[in-house]
Amino acid sequence: MHIELEQTGSVQSLATILKKTAARDEVNGIIIFACDKNGFRPENVDQIFKECPVPLMGGIFPGIIHEKETLETGTIVLSLSQKPEISIIKEMSDPETDF
């Protein structure tokens, strides 16, 4: 496992760190923890995610913690050595959804 921190929260920096991480031979999946203040929107990041050659998962949070520091902008990219099995659960926030 390898952890990268990007503190600017920019879309271009996210693209750069994802390409760098995905290019590592031992990486078979990536988890992304992004701050809400980054302002990532589907129209800005979808293509970046589609171009990633390994499975991605993650979420957007009010803040992230890296080495005891709380950040309100930035992104943590965590590489996985094993390929993850990813499932999408639609309407997870809907209280009427029957799981």
Side-chain angles (χ1 to χ4, degrees):
M1 178 174 26
H2 183 77
I3 299 170
E4 291 278 345
L5 171 66
E6 189 293 302
Q7 294 188 48
T8 69
S10 76
V11 173
Q12 183 56 44
S13 294
L14 172 65
T16 300
I17 200 170
L18 273 179
K19 286 180 186 177
K20 177 182 170 185
T21 301
R24 298 170 64 108
D25 289 336
E26 70 276 9
V27 174
N28 291 301
I30 295 175
I31 302 174
I32 301 169
F33 299 99
C35 292
D36 186 47
K37 285 188 179 179
N38 293 354
F40 294 160
R41 301 291 173 254
E43 60 270 13
N44 298 330
V45 296
D46 279 358
Q47 191 59 40
I48 294 167
F49 295 157
K50 287 177 185 176
E51 292 173 1
C52 188
V54 298
L56 295 171
M57 64 188 126
I60 297 176
F61 304 93
I64 56 177
I65 299 171
H66 182 264
E67 294 183 357
K68 299 182 183 180
E69 182 179 4
T70 302
L71 304 168
E72 291 185 2
T73 59
T75 307
I76 294 173
V77 175
L78 177 81
S79 65
L80 303 172
S81 58
Q82 293 185 328
K83 185 175 181 179
E85 292 185 33
I86 299 174
S87 299
I88 297 173
I89 303 172
K90 295 184 179 199
E91 300 176 19
M92 189 169 180
S93 297
D94 184 352
E96 301 300 316
T97 301
D98 182 16
F99 295 104

